[in-house]
Structure formats: C-alpha cells, structure tokens
Amino acid sequence: PKTRSVQCPAEKAGEVMRQELYKNFYEEIPYNVGVKVVSWVPRSNGELIIDYQLDVLKKMHVPILLGEKGRILSQVRAECTACLLYTSDAADDMQCVDLGGRRIIKKK
C-alpha cells in the first residue's frame, strides 16, 4: 500500500527546498536558512506557481546562497522543480512547476 503523508502540499514543497539546500551547501549555511512557502497558486493551464521566502541569520550568507549572478539559487530552484515534478504528491495533476519569486531576507 502507498504511504501517505499528513503534510499539506505546500509543506512538502518547503521540505523539498530544505533538502536541496542541504545537498548544495555545507556546514552551517543550510541550518541557518529558514524556508517558507509564501504562495501556492495552481493555474488553469496546469502550471503551479510556488513562491518561497528564504530567511537567513547572517548577512554574509546571502551572497553565498545566491552565487555569482544568482547561479547557485537557480540551480537549487531547478533541482526543486525536478523533484516536485517527480513526486506527484506535491504537484498532483500539474504539468509544470514554477518556483516563482524567491526572496532572501536577513532576519534581525
């Protein structure tokens, strides 16, 4: 039998983002980044738009997360998209997942 999660799809998407951050960064960085799904919008054409907010504790981690010209965060985004498309529980019946606007906010 299939095992079903009690997490809502937005929580699963947040976990996927955390997982990709852990895979792409080392030491303290992924443990000091808060991930929040701020928007989950299914569109009539089958697309799913997910907006994340990444909260960091240290200002010096922002450029590390972004990478040169945003390349690292773009890579993490692409890996999240692939993972969400593969795990149909997070994107049931969606043809496409777009991890829309990403915001990195330094916590005070």
Side-chain angles (χ1 to χ4, degrees):
K2 276 190 170 182
T3 303
R4 302 282 303 177
S5 172
V6 296
Q7 288 180 309
C8 73
E11 290 172 332
K12 290 178 190 178
E15 287 301 316
V16 169
M17 177 60 84
R18 278 183 207 85
Q19 171 186 325
E20 295 306 325
L21 287 171
Y22 289 127
K23 285 175 25 182
N24 284 278
F25 296 98
Y26 303 98
E27 296 179 18
E28 67 182 82
I29 293 175
Y31 299 99
N32 287 311
V33 176
V35 176
K36 180 180 179 185
V37 174
V38 293
S39 176
W40 179 275
V41 182
R43 293 201 172 158
S44 60
N45 65 355
E47 291 181 344
L48 174 62
I49 308 298
I50 304 170
D51 289 330
Y52 288 91
Q53 176 177 308
L54 303 179
D55 296 318
V56 296
L57 293 175
K58 296 180 180 179
K59 188 175 182 174
M60 64 186 235
H61 288 167
V62 173
I64 296 170
L65 283 170
L66 289 173
E68 184 181 337
K69 297 184 181 180
R71 288 187 186 136
I72 294 175
L73 194 56
S74 292
Q75 177 183 336
V76 170
R77 175 184 172 214
E79 291 168 1
C80 282
T81 300
C83 185
L84 287 172
L85 287 173
Y86 180 75
T87 58
S88 62
D89 283 346
D92 286 340
D93 301 321
M94 297 294 160
Q95 300 169 359
C96 171
V97 176
D98 177 13
L99 305 182
R102 279 91 29 224
R103 294 180 274 176
I104 299 180
I105 298 175
K106 170 141 179 8
K107 283 192 173 182
K108 295 180 180 182

